[in-house]
Amino acid sequence: MTNENINRYIGIELFKWITIHSFFRYFNPKLSVKKKIRPTELPELRNEMTIAEISHLIAFFFVNVFVLIKLIGGAYLFALVILLVNIVMNLYPTLLQQQNKRRIDKYGTMLAAREAHRIRTLSSVRATAQ
């Protein structure tokens, strides 16, 4: 099973839609793209996504420590609620950032291939002109 299939199965697309169409989109303005992004801006956007991803992952593991403490203390329902909220607020954003980074990488690869093709074509036109 690919990452995209797993993401679809666990509902990342729904989470993405909710994020885009709710107040969550205002939480990290550096990740909000309102215009057509230039290829030169891709590395900076990807870096911001990596920072957001790592931050959510750290928070996910940190909150899970409290879930474990509540489980040991016998507060099973409270631990379950914390765990579910933690998954939605920290794990899903991490998975969404990973998906978006894969899309950026794919787009960057496509642009690089297009540029290489353009250079080869330009070189062959110059060679035939001489």
Side-chain angles (χ1 to χ4, degrees), residues 19-22 36 52-53 56 59 61 63 69-70 76 84 97 101 110 118-119:
T19 302
I20 291 171
H21 295 93
S22 70
K36 186 175 181 180
E53 175 189 353
H56 278 287
F61 288 116
V63 172
I69 291 169
K70 289 298 177 186
Y76 303 116
L84 293 176
Q97 296 304 338
K101 287 189 330 184
M110 181 201 65
R118 189 184 71 76
I119 290 171

PDB file of all heavy atoms in Angstrom, residues 19-22 36 52-53 56 59 61 63 69-70 76 84 97 101 110 118-119:
ATOM      1  N   THR A  19      -9.041  21.755   6.837  1.00  0.00           N
ATOM      2  CA  THR A  19      -7.987  22.725   7.134  1.00  0.00           C
ATOM      3  C   THR A  19      -8.072  23.922   6.192  1.00  0.00           C
ATOM      4  O   THR A  19      -7.964  25.072   6.620  1.00  0.00           O
ATOM      5  CB  THR A  19      -6.599  22.074   7.029  1.00  0.00           C
ATOM      6  OG1 THR A  19      -6.544  20.969   7.934  1.00  0.00           O
ATOM      7  CG2 THR A  19      -5.495  23.048   7.366  1.00  0.00           C
ATOM      8  N   ILE A  20      -8.278  23.652   4.916  1.00  0.00           N
ATOM      9  CA  ILE A  20      -8.331  24.722   3.920  1.00  0.00           C
ATOM     10  C   ILE A  20      -9.577  25.594   4.099  1.00  0.00           C
ATOM     11  O   ILE A  20      -9.520  26.796   3.914  1.00  0.00           O
ATOM     12  CB  ILE A  20      -8.291  24.129   2.494  1.00  0.00           C
ATOM     13  CG1 ILE A  20      -6.911  23.532   2.221  1.00  0.00           C
ATOM     14  CG2 ILE A  20      -8.627  25.177   1.443  1.00  0.00           C
ATOM     15  CD1 ILE A  20      -6.841  22.728   0.938  1.00  0.00           C
ATOM     16  N   HIS A  21     -10.694  24.992   4.490  1.00  0.00           N
ATOM     17  CA  HIS A  21     -11.964  25.711   4.539  1.00  0.00           C
ATOM     18  C   HIS A  21     -12.411  26.104   5.954  1.00  0.00           C
ATOM     19  O   HIS A  21     -13.595  26.337   6.180  1.00  0.00           O
ATOM     20  CB  HIS A  21     -13.060  24.873   3.864  1.00  0.00           C
ATOM     21  CG  HIS A  21     -12.812  24.693   2.407  1.00  0.00           C
ATOM     22  ND1 HIS A  21     -12.133  23.601   1.907  1.00  0.00           N
ATOM     23  CD2 HIS A  21     -13.126  25.464   1.343  1.00  0.00           C
ATOM     24  CE1 HIS A  21     -12.057  23.715   0.605  1.00  0.00           C
ATOM     25  NE2 HIS A  21     -12.641  24.825   0.224  1.00  0.00           N
ATOM     26  N   SER A  22     -11.494  26.163   6.894  1.00  0.00           N
ATOM     27  CA  SER A  22     -11.853  26.557   8.254  1.00  0.00           C
ATOM     28  C   SER A  22     -10.832  27.555   8.790  1.00  0.00           C
ATOM     29  O   SER A  22      -9.916  27.961   8.090  1.00  0.00           O
ATOM     30  CB  SER A  22     -11.925  25.323   9.165  1.00  0.00           C
ATOM     31  OG  SER A  22     -10.630  24.810   9.386  1.00  0.00           O
ATOM     32  N   LYS A  36       0.090  32.138  -7.340  1.00  0.00           N
ATOM     33  CA  LYS A  36       0.847  31.090  -8.022  1.00  0.00           C
ATOM     34  C   LYS A  36       2.287  31.160  -7.528  1.00  0.00           C
ATOM     35  O   LYS A  36       2.930  32.210  -7.593  1.00  0.00           O
ATOM     36  CB  LYS A  36       0.786  31.293  -9.532  1.00  0.00           C
ATOM     37  CG  LYS A  36       1.426  30.187 -10.298  1.00  0.00           C
ATOM     38  CD  LYS A  36       1.237  30.367 -11.781  1.00  0.00           C
ATOM     39  CE  LYS A  36       1.892  29.196 -12.485  1.00  0.00           C
ATOM     40  NZ  LYS A  36       1.750  29.311 -13.923  1.00  0.00           N
ATOM     41  N   ALA A  52       7.128  22.921  10.367  1.00  0.00           N
ATOM     42  CA  ALA A  52       5.787  22.679  10.915  1.00  0.00           C
ATOM     43  C   ALA A  52       5.585  21.196  11.206  1.00  0.00           C
ATOM     44  O   ALA A  52       5.011  20.830  12.244  1.00  0.00           O
ATOM     45  CB  ALA A  52       4.729  23.175   9.931  1.00  0.00           C
ATOM     46  N   GLU A  53       6.059  20.352  10.312  1.00  0.00           N
ATOM     47  CA  GLU A  53       5.923  18.900  10.492  1.00  0.00           C
ATOM     48  C   GLU A  53       6.647  18.429  11.745  1.00  0.00           C
ATOM     49  O   GLU A  53       6.086  17.685  12.560  1.00  0.00           O
ATOM     50  CB  GLU A  53       6.486  18.191   9.262  1.00  0.00           C
ATOM     51  CG  GLU A  53       6.510  16.702   9.353  1.00  0.00           C
ATOM     52  CD  GLU A  53       7.268  16.064   8.196  1.00  0.00           C
ATOM     53  OE1 GLU A  53       7.658  16.777   7.251  1.00  0.00           O
ATOM     54  OE2 GLU A  53       7.479  14.848   8.255  1.00  0.00           O
ATOM     55  N   HIS A  56       4.841  19.590  14.967  1.00  0.00           N
ATOM     56  CA  HIS A  56       3.662  18.779  15.269  1.00  0.00           C
ATOM     57  C   HIS A  56       4.060  17.389  15.765  1.00  0.00           C
ATOM     58  O   HIS A  56       3.413  16.835  16.660  1.00  0.00           O
ATOM     59  CB  HIS A  56       2.761  18.646  14.042  1.00  0.00           C
ATOM     60  CG  HIS A  56       1.863  19.818  13.834  1.00  0.00           C
ATOM     61  ND1 HIS A  56       0.765  20.056  14.623  1.00  0.00           N
ATOM     62  CD2 HIS A  56       1.893  20.822  12.929  1.00  0.00           C
ATOM     63  CE1 HIS A  56       0.160  21.151  14.210  1.00  0.00           C
ATOM     64  NE2 HIS A  56       0.831  21.646  13.183  1.00  0.00           N
ATOM     65  N   ALA A  59       5.160  17.682  19.361  1.00  0.00           N
ATOM     66  CA  ALA A  59       3.972  17.856  20.209  1.00  0.00           C
ATOM     67  C   ALA A  59       3.205  16.542  20.343  1.00  0.00           C
ATOM     68  O   ALA A  59       2.703  16.217  21.426  1.00  0.00           O
ATOM     69  CB  ALA A  59       3.070  18.935  19.620  1.00  0.00           C
ATOM     70  N   PHE A  61       4.361  13.434  20.296  1.00  0.00           N
ATOM     71  CA  PHE A  61       5.021  12.539  21.250  1.00  0.00           C
ATOM     72  C   PHE A  61       4.961  13.082  22.672  1.00  0.00           C
ATOM     73  O   PHE A  61       4.812  12.321  23.628  1.00  0.00           O
ATOM     74  CB  PHE A  61       6.461  12.260  20.819  1.00  0.00           C
ATOM     75  CG  PHE A  61       6.534  11.362  19.629  1.00  0.00           C
ATOM     76  CD1 PHE A  61       7.066  11.809  18.435  1.00  0.00           C
ATOM     77  CD2 PHE A  61       6.046  10.061  19.686  1.00  0.00           C
ATOM     78  CE1 PHE A  61       7.122  10.979  17.332  1.00  0.00           C
ATOM     79  CE2 PHE A  61       6.098   9.223  18.582  1.00  0.00           C
ATOM     80  CZ  PHE A  61       6.638   9.689  17.401  1.00  0.00           C
ATOM     81  N   VAL A  63       2.541  14.947  24.028  1.00  0.00           N
ATOM     82  CA  VAL A  63       1.190  14.729  24.556  1.00  0.00           C
ATOM     83  C   VAL A  63       0.962  13.247  24.850  1.00  0.00           C
ATOM     84  O   VAL A  63       0.260  12.892  25.801  1.00  0.00           O
ATOM     85  CB  VAL A  63       0.124  15.301  23.597  1.00  0.00           C
ATOM     86  CG1 VAL A  63      -1.279  14.918  24.016  1.00  0.00           C
ATOM     87  CG2 VAL A  63       0.256  16.821  23.514  1.00  0.00           C
ATOM     88  N   ILE A  69       0.559   8.521  31.085  1.00  0.00           N
ATOM     89  CA  ILE A  69       0.383   8.781  32.513  1.00  0.00           C
ATOM     90  C   ILE A  69      -1.069   8.543  32.918  1.00  0.00           C
ATOM     91  O   ILE A  69      -1.345   7.932  33.957  1.00  0.00           O
ATOM     92  CB  ILE A  69       0.850  10.216  32.864  1.00  0.00           C
ATOM     93  CG1 ILE A  69       2.367  10.318  32.730  1.00  0.00           C
ATOM     94  CG2 ILE A  69       0.388  10.625  34.254  1.00  0.00           C
ATOM     95  CD1 ILE A  69       2.913  11.738  32.803  1.00  0.00           C
ATOM     96  N   LYS A  70      -2.003   9.008  32.106  1.00  0.00           N
ATOM     97  CA  LYS A  70      -3.427   8.813  32.406  1.00  0.00           C
ATOM     98  C   LYS A  70      -3.813   7.339  32.321  1.00  0.00           C
ATOM     99  O   LYS A  70      -4.631   6.861  33.108  1.00  0.00           O
ATOM    100  CB  LYS A  70      -4.307   9.647  31.457  1.00  0.00           C
ATOM    101  CG  LYS A  70      -4.243  11.128  31.736  1.00  0.00           C
ATOM    102  CD  LYS A  70      -4.753  11.402  33.140  1.00  0.00           C
ATOM    103  CE  LYS A  70      -4.663  12.845  33.521  1.00  0.00           C
ATOM    104  NZ  LYS A  70      -5.024  13.071  34.909  1.00  0.00           N
ATOM    105  N   TYR A  76      -8.907   5.787  31.747  1.00  0.00           N
ATOM    106  CA  TYR A  76      -8.898   5.288  30.371  1.00  0.00           C
ATOM    107  C   TYR A  76      -9.671   6.174  29.409  1.00  0.00           C
ATOM    108  O   TYR A  76      -9.210   6.435  28.291  1.00  0.00           O
ATOM    109  CB  TYR A  76      -9.442   3.857  30.321  1.00  0.00           C
ATOM    110  CG  TYR A  76      -8.664   2.920  31.202  1.00  0.00           C
ATOM    111  CD1 TYR A  76      -9.265   2.295  32.289  1.00  0.00           C
ATOM    112  CD2 TYR A  76      -7.319   2.666  30.967  1.00  0.00           C
ATOM    113  CE1 TYR A  76      -8.551   1.444  33.111  1.00  0.00           C
ATOM    114  CE2 TYR A  76      -6.588   1.818  31.773  1.00  0.00           C
ATOM    115  CZ  TYR A  76      -7.216   1.202  32.856  1.00  0.00           C
ATOM    116  OH  TYR A  76      -6.497   0.367  33.663  1.00  0.00           O
ATOM    117  N   LEU A  84      -7.200  10.886  20.956  1.00  0.00           N
ATOM    118  CA  LEU A  84      -7.934  11.213  19.731  1.00  0.00           C
ATOM    119  C   LEU A  84      -7.721  12.671  19.315  1.00  0.00           C
ATOM    120  O   LEU A  84      -7.496  12.970  18.138  1.00  0.00           O
ATOM    121  CB  LEU A  84      -9.415  10.896  19.896  1.00  0.00           C
ATOM    122  CG  LEU A  84      -9.769   9.411  20.030  1.00  0.00           C
ATOM    123  CD1 LEU A  84     -11.259   9.232  20.283  1.00  0.00           C
ATOM    124  CD2 LEU A  84      -9.326   8.628  18.807  1.00  0.00           C
ATOM    125  N   GLN A  97       1.552  17.516   6.018  1.00  0.00           N
ATOM    126  CA  GLN A  97       2.787  18.181   5.604  1.00  0.00           C
ATOM    127  C   GLN A  97       3.658  17.237   4.776  1.00  0.00           C
ATOM    128  O   GLN A  97       4.255  17.655   3.782  1.00  0.00           O
ATOM    129  CB  GLN A  97       3.577  18.696   6.813  1.00  0.00           C
ATOM    130  CG  GLN A  97       2.895  19.767   7.609  1.00  0.00           C
ATOM    131  CD  GLN A  97       2.503  20.981   6.794  1.00  0.00           C
ATOM    132  OE1 GLN A  97       3.052  21.251   5.736  1.00  0.00           O
ATOM    133  NE2 GLN A  97       1.528  21.710   7.273  1.00  0.00           N
ATOM    134  N   LYS A 101       4.813  17.915   1.000  1.00  0.00           N
ATOM    135  CA  LYS A 101       6.234  17.919   0.627  1.00  0.00           C
ATOM    136  C   LYS A 101       6.489  16.968  -0.535  1.00  0.00           C
ATOM    137  O   LYS A 101       7.285  17.275  -1.421  1.00  0.00           O
ATOM    138  CB  LYS A 101       7.116  17.556   1.822  1.00  0.00           C
ATOM    139  CG  LYS A 101       7.211  18.667   2.835  1.00  0.00           C
ATOM    140  CD  LYS A 101       8.232  18.451   3.930  1.00  0.00           C
ATOM    141  CE  LYS A 101       8.502  17.056   4.314  1.00  0.00           C
ATOM    142  NZ  LYS A 101       9.424  16.893   5.422  1.00  0.00           N
ATOM    143  N   MET A 110       9.502  17.679 -11.919  1.00  0.00           N
ATOM    144  CA  MET A 110       8.899  17.960 -13.214  1.00  0.00           C
ATOM    145  C   MET A 110       9.481  19.241 -13.814  1.00  0.00           C
ATOM    146  O   MET A 110       9.809  19.292 -14.999  1.00  0.00           O
ATOM    147  CB  MET A 110       7.386  18.095 -13.082  1.00  0.00           C
ATOM    148  CG  MET A 110       6.684  18.367 -14.400  1.00  0.00           C
ATOM    149  SD  MET A 110       5.053  19.097 -14.228  1.00  0.00           S
ATOM    150  CE  MET A 110       5.435  20.673 -13.492  1.00  0.00           C
ATOM    151  N   ARG A 118      14.271  21.779 -22.229  1.00  0.00           N
ATOM    152  CA  ARG A 118      14.381  23.080 -22.898  1.00  0.00           C
ATOM    153  C   ARG A 118      15.828  23.383 -23.267  1.00  0.00           C
ATOM    154  O   ARG A 118      16.116  23.840 -24.377  1.00  0.00           O
ATOM    155  CB  ARG A 118      13.835  24.184 -21.978  1.00  0.00           C
ATOM    156  CG  ARG A 118      13.703  25.544 -22.662  1.00  0.00           C
ATOM    157  CD  ARG A 118      13.243  26.609 -21.688  1.00  0.00           C
ATOM    158  NE  ARG A 118      14.248  26.968 -20.714  1.00  0.00           N
ATOM    159  CZ  ARG A 118      15.311  27.743 -20.967  1.00  0.00           C
ATOM    160  NH1 ARG A 118      15.518  28.232 -22.157  1.00  0.00           N
ATOM    161  NH2 ARG A 118      16.170  28.033 -20.010  1.00  0.00           N
ATOM    162  N   ILE A 119      16.759  23.067 -22.376  1.00  0.00           N
ATOM    163  CA  ILE A 119      18.178  23.317 -22.636  1.00  0.00           C
ATOM    164  C   ILE A 119      18.680  22.405 -23.759  1.00  0.00           C
ATOM    165  O   ILE A 119      19.406  22.845 -24.649  1.00  0.00           O
ATOM    166  CB  ILE A 119      19.010  23.134 -21.343  1.00  0.00           C
ATOM    167  CG1 ILE A 119      18.688  24.278 -20.380  1.00  0.00           C
ATOM    168  CG2 ILE A 119      20.496  23.066 -21.644  1.00  0.00           C
ATOM    169  CD1 ILE A 119      19.275  24.099 -18.993  1.00  0.00           C
TER     170      ILE A 119
END
